[in-house]
Amino acid sequence: MKCPHCGQYLENTLWEALQPYKSLNLPVVVTNIDSILEVGPRIRAIFEEKNGNLKIRGFQAVTLKKVARSLKVPLYYIERLDDQVYLYEFDTNQPVESGPFLRADQLLPVFSGSVNELGEWIMEKFVLPSCSSLSGGKNRRR
């Protein structure tokens, strides 16, 4: 099944399994998370990727915000057009203001560049600082 608003593929096993109960109008949302960045023993950030357009469904924005807040990590939205990448951060302390889609003015642009440059940005912001703190003689546990 595709979203009538953005054309993205929605159906997954959980969504399909709950379809017989849709008529009960229960407060259930099924969404996914595109990427979770884990470095060492900690989750460092959540990323949601939108290819070609930055239309973020309101209900998905609310769920992703809740997950990021509970993990105390930043929430980023990636817009990719071929090799050009735009990265936006969503402040998880603000309310989600949306209609069918999240309002674009709620997103803070934090990066623009190629896919390779995004890799460098992620390494500098999340990976290298985390690895240097891990090598300080602490035992790593999972």
Side-chain angles (χ1 to χ4, degrees), residues 88-101:
Y88 304 89
E89 185 170 0
F90 180 83
D91 178 358
T92 59
N93 293 314
Q94 69 181 327
V96 173
E97 295 181 22
S98 67
F101 298 103

Side-chain angles (χ1 to χ4, degrees), residues 14-15 18-19 21-22 24-31 59 63:
L14 182 58
W15 185 87
L18 293 173
Q19 281 308 295
Y21 308 100
K22 185 177 178 182
L24 298 176
N25 293 322
L26 298 172
V28 175
V29 173
V30 175
T31 189
F59 72 85
T63 301

